[in-house]
Amino acid sequence: KAGVTQTPRYLIKTRGQQVTLSCSPISGHRSVSWYQQTPGQGLQFLFEYFSETQRNKGNFPGRFSGRQFSNSRSEMNVSTLELGDSALYLCASSLGQPSYNEQFFGPGTRLTVL
Amino acid sequence: SQQGEEDPQALSIQEGENATMNCSYKTSINNLQWYRQNSGRGLVHLILIRSNEREKHSGRLRVTLDTSKKSSSLLITASRAADTASYFCATVVGGGADGLTFGKGTHLIIQP
């Protein structure tokens, strides 16, 4: 079975732009979660989706949004980019409810905001 | 704020030795999970231990959980160079509305 894939792997943007990151979960997994990892704040929870519905959301501003499609693929969008948005964005999928089951992480998308 | 805090922040040992990392957390949990990350890449799930469990094993890994002390430990026996990575504990509180709450991690270096 193919693992979780994330595209693109690397991205460079400038302040004020917007960006869309994509995540394809493991086949059969209906739950997708997103995390941001920075040296200063560590790993922080962004959102969780299940069957196209956002079930939980972390403490991030409204500039961060996401969605999940009927095939379980997910995208996250960051609008009006700030320098502090530079981070590794990780997507994870799980077979069942993510908090109670093993989560499988993708390799991440490294976003650099200049 | 971080729910889990790993200790030590960094650990360097010789290949073949055992490595022990600790995790302390603040509030009651549903379960605690350990993950490994190599060089800023994706995380790999190691073990999930539920709040009503005290110990779990997986290959060379042993995890303990002491809910009275709000702490967990990860033991890697007979370490190998390939074990060099950052190790994170992650907790789930209540129904998981906050997702996984990660600590800052322990950076483990295995010297050949």
Side-chain angles (χ1 to χ4, degrees), chain A residues 18-36:
Chain A
Q18 74 166 23
V19 67
T20 300
L21 312 181
S22 180
C23 170
S24 292
I26 291 173
S27 178
H29 286 194
R30 296 168 64 188
S31 178
V32 172
S33 299
W34 288 88
Y35 290 84
Q36 180 198 64

Side-chain angles (χ1 to χ4, degrees), chain B residues 80-96:
Chain B
R80 306 167 181 169
D83 295 328
T84 294
S86 291
Y87 292 81
F88 296 89
C89 69
T91 54
V92 174
V93 176

Side-chain angles (χ1 to χ4, degrees), chain B:
Chain B
S1 64
Q2 299 293 337
Q3 157 76 321
E5 293 291 339
E6 289 90 343
D7 172 63
Q9 291 186 335
L11 179 62
S12 180
I13 62 173
Q14 294 295 123
E15 195 167 17
E17 294 181 335
N18 296 340
T20 299
M21 287 157 273
N22 302 296
C23 169
S24 59
Y25 55 91
K26 299 173 184 173
T27 61
S28 295
I29 59 172
N30 179 289
N31 67 71
L32 185 146
Q33 304 179 31
W34 283 91
Y35 286 83
R36 183 186 76 227
Q37 186 178 38
N38 293 85
S39 302
R41 304 179 71 177
L43 283 80
V44 175
H45 182 270
L46 297 176
I47 286 184
L48 182 154
I49 187 165
R50 304 188 194 284
S51 60
N52 61 351
E53 298 175 309
R54 292 296 168 258
E55 187 171 311
K56 286 190 85 168
H57 296 255
S58 177
R60 295 183 295 113
L61 307 180
R62 171 177 168 250
V63 166
T64 61
L65 179 64
D66 188 334
T67 53
S68 66
K69 295 181 180 178
K70 292 187 171 59
S71 67
S72 174
S73 68
L74 169 67
L75 168 67
I76 303 174
T77 61
S79 64
R80 306 167 181 169
D83 295 328
T84 294
S86 291
Y87 292 81
F88 296 89
C89 69
T91 54
V92 174
V93 176
D98 296 327
L100 291 173
T101 304
F102 286 88
K104 293 274 189 168
T106 291
H107 186 52
L108 175 65
I109 297 172
I110 308 298
Q111 307 278 5

